[in-house]
Amino acid sequence: MFEPEEIRKDFPILQRKIGGKEIVYLDSGATSQKPKQVIEAISKYYETNNANVHRGAHTLGDESTQLLEEARETIAKWIGGKSEEVIFVRNTTEAINLVAYGWGLDNLKKDDVILTTEMEHHSNIVPWQEVARRTGAKVEMVKVTSEGLLDQDNYKDKLKLKPKLVAMVQVSNALGTINPIVEMTKQAHKIGALVLVDGAQAVPHMKVDVQKIGCDWYAFSGHKMLGPMGIGVLWGKKEILNKMSPFLTGGGMISEVYVDHSTWTELPEKFEAGTPNVAGAVGLVSAIEYLDRLGIENVREHDKWLTVYGLQLIAGVEGVEILGPRDAELRSGSISFTYTGVHAHDVATVLDSQGVMVRSGYHCTMPLHNKLGVVASVRVSFNVYTTKNDIDRLVEALLEVKKIFGK
Ligand code: PLP
């Protein structure tokens, strides 16, 4: 295990004081803070290597290209894929859209079923609704139980509809639920469906191996795992990516361009039109190195420990109702709750006045909140720099809510 109090020292933003108080940042699920190593790696790239890739037949262009390709290799190794299967995108949302438009439009037709779940982030719902609208396919959703788990009986029933695709989240951003993704992927493959996993909230907190999961595509964002904003990854199986159409077209992804038609280059560039975010890729490598130094198993242990501690303390506050499973083994990274009689936005405002930063609303999971009959909730989410003291400060601040609203 590592000492989060020590880790905090690597994060310049956490040294800031607001209203004379140390920042308690409990919104890492939205975006994580960045260690100085990541910030320095990005600065160093711009100070020493910056040039466009491939195009310049000069030293800086070569260095920049090499850094991008090394980043691809590091990421591939980290998730258990091949480097040509790693496609750089801006974020998870873009990765899912790439599959929706690059695979969905060509492979789905009227009455085909796309199976997703009630606990998805809007990023794994709306692109499928759009593809369904254009192809005549239908979107079905696996139900969530009142405990905040995916209803496995309902999943089996939905698989009887023979979906062409199962698109599901590994770790719910709203409930923290860890889904049994390996088993669910196996079941989907048995009926011939392809599987896309939204790993946005999994990669920051646990070891992810796409081979072990067995999925066909895996999507994640760099900015939630200590990396910079603007860089994300779509991993896909080579044979599937090879058959897909490009999502974005233009420079950098073509083989030949004629007046009346064009041909595409090989993977991975086929999916990377335009100038890539090399600095972002370099920053993401630095984030992976940082997590590797801590040990991803230790990151998971730290996260589990915080979840146990947080669940116990937060649930003890009068008026608070925790959403999602109570067993820390089944959850990761975040705890969402409601406060009886006080709107989540009001709770968040009071917490902010105490230097405690949380997310309030429906966290881009409106169908899930509707299903749970909750208008909005408060979410506290962790990362490697989150300490026991952060949770204690949260609980103290929650008592302020009681004082102010008298609830
Ligand atoms: N999926 C999940 C589970 C998320 O938590 C998020 C972001 O919160 C996303 C997708 C979208 O990520 P991004 O905004 O980086 O595209």
Side-chain angles (χ1 to χ4, degrees), residues 99-109 131 135 243-246:
V99 179
Y101 292 94
W103 176 85
L105 286 186
D106 289 343
N107 289 280
L108 295 168
K109 55 183 192 318
V131 166
T135 59
K243 284 191 211 141
M244 283 166 56
S245 299

Side-chain angles (χ1 to χ4, degrees), residues 29-31 90-96 119-124 169-174 198-202 220-224 359 363-364 379:
T31 199
R90 281 186 303 143
N91 47 40
T92 307
T93 306
E94 188 175 303
I96 296 171
M119 71 166 66
E120 298 310 308
H121 188 282
H122 296 163
S123 294
N124 205 18
V169 71
Q170 185 171 1
V171 174
S172 159
N173 63 307
D198 171 352
Q201 299 290 346
F220 63 95
S221 303
H223 69 93
K224 293 181 194 288
R359 173 107 187 248
H363 327 307
C364 294
R379 180 184 72 182

Side-chain angles (χ1 to χ4, degrees), residues 178 205 296-304 328-329 331:
I178 304 175
H205 298 288
I296 195 76
E297 284 75 20
N298 294 330
V299 172
R300 170 70 186 135
E301 279 312 305
H302 170 64
D303 180 70
K304 222 191 297 179
E329 286 292 335
R331 53 190 306 158

Side-chain angles (χ1 to χ4, degrees), residues 3 10 66 83 88 96 112 118 142 149 184 216 229 242 248 252 254 328 384 406:
E3 202 39 74
D10 284 336
Q66 196 180 336
S83 64
F88 285 120
I96 296 171
D112 279 348
E118 286 178 343
V142 181
L149 303 172
M184 290 179 77
D216 300 287
M229 289 180 175
N242 268 332
L248 300 172
I254 47 81
V384 294

Side-chain angles (χ1 to χ4, degrees), residues 7-303:
I7 302 286
R8 279 179 82 84
K9 294 180 187 159
D10 284 336
F11 291 75
I13 205 168
L14 299 178
Q15 313 313 315
R16 252 192 90 178
K17 289 203 167 120
I18 296 183
K21 293 186 178 122
E22 259 182 35
I23 293 180
V24 174
Y25 184 75
L26 291 171
D27 197 17
S28 296
T31 199
S32 66
Q33 296 303 347
K34 325 298 174 199
K36 61 178 187 287
Q37 290 83 344
V38 167
I39 299 167
E40 283 163 9
I42 296 168
S43 291
K44 183 169 167 249
Y45 168 76
Y46 280 123
E47 283 166 11
T48 52
N49 314 106
N50 178 54
N52 213 328
V53 294
H54 303 301
R55 299 180 186 131
H58 54 72
T59 308
L60 291 181
D62 288 347
E63 285 176 8
S64 195
T65 306
Q66 196 180 336
L67 284 168
L68 186 71
E69 293 319 314
E70 281 172 8
R72 206 186 296 283
E73 269 167 42
T74 304
I75 293 160
K77 219 158 130 201
W78 201 60
I79 59 168
K82 300 187 189 96
S83 64
E84 67 267 34
E85 296 174 327
V86 169
I87 314 293
F88 285 120
V89 289
R90 281 186 303 143
N91 47 40
T92 307
T93 306
E94 188 175 303
I96 296 171
N97 274 272
L98 193 162
V99 179
Y101 292 94
W103 176 85
L105 286 186
D106 289 343
N107 289 280
L108 295 168
K109 55 183 192 318
K110 192 168 177 324
D111 296 331
D112 279 348
V113 172
I114 302 162
L115 183 56
T116 181
T117 86
E118 286 178 343
M119 71 166 66
E120 298 310 308
H121 188 282
H122 296 163
S123 294
N124 205 18
I125 297 176
V126 186
W128 302 116
Q129 289 172 339
E130 269 307 287
V131 166
R133 188 176 64 77
R134 293 177 195 207
T135 59
K138 292 183 286 199
V139 176
E140 292 278 339
M141 288 189 182
V142 181
K143 288 191 183 347
V144 171
T145 66
S146 55
E147 209 200 331
L149 303 172
L150 286 180
D151 182 333
Q152 295 300 319
D153 289 336
N154 184 252
Y155 181 53
K156 287 186 186 94
D157 282 347
K158 297 279 184 188
L159 288 181
K160 289 181 190 148
L161 301 172
K162 297 266 184 268
K164 288 271 163 61
L165 172 80
V166 175
M168 59 188 164
V169 71
Q170 185 171 1
V171 174
S172 159
N173 63 307
L175 301 174
T177 309
I178 304 175
N179 291 317
I181 212 83
V182 176
E183 185 50 35
M184 290 179 77
T185 299
K186 257 190 217 145
Q187 291 177 36
H189 280 163
K190 259 191 207 150
I191 57 106
L194 294 180
V195 176
L196 176 141
V197 176
D198 171 352
Q201 299 290 346
V203 279
H205 298 288
M206 60 190 66
K207 174 73 192 151
V208 166
D209 183 330
V210 291
Q211 307 301 335
K212 283 201 182 130
I213 294 172
C215 57
D216 300 287
W217 299 279
Y218 194 94
F220 63 95
S221 303
H223 69 93
K224 293 181 194 288
M225 47 171 287
L226 312 182
M229 289 180 175
I231 189 86
V233 169
L234 173 72
W235 170 86
K237 281 184 184 154
K238 191 174 170 183
E239 56 277 19
I240 296 175
L241 292 175
N242 268 332
K243 284 191 211 141
M244 283 166 56
S245 299
F247 166 45
L248 300 172
T249 52
M253 53 72 68
I254 47 81
S255 173
E256 289 166 315
V257 176
Y258 300 97
V259 174
D260 57 351
H261 80 284
S262 304
T263 56
W264 321 138
T265 186
E266 302 285 305
L267 289 178
E269 285 85 8
K270 176 176 134 185
F271 292 107
E272 294 179 355
T275 299
N277 182 358
V278 185
V282 166
L284 183 52
V285 166
S286 175
I288 289 175
E289 286 167 357
Y290 193 92
L291 289 170
D292 256 348
R293 276 196 300 277
L294 295 181
I296 195 76
E297 284 75 20
N298 294 330
V299 172
R300 170 70 186 135
E301 279 312 305
H302 170 64
D303 180 70

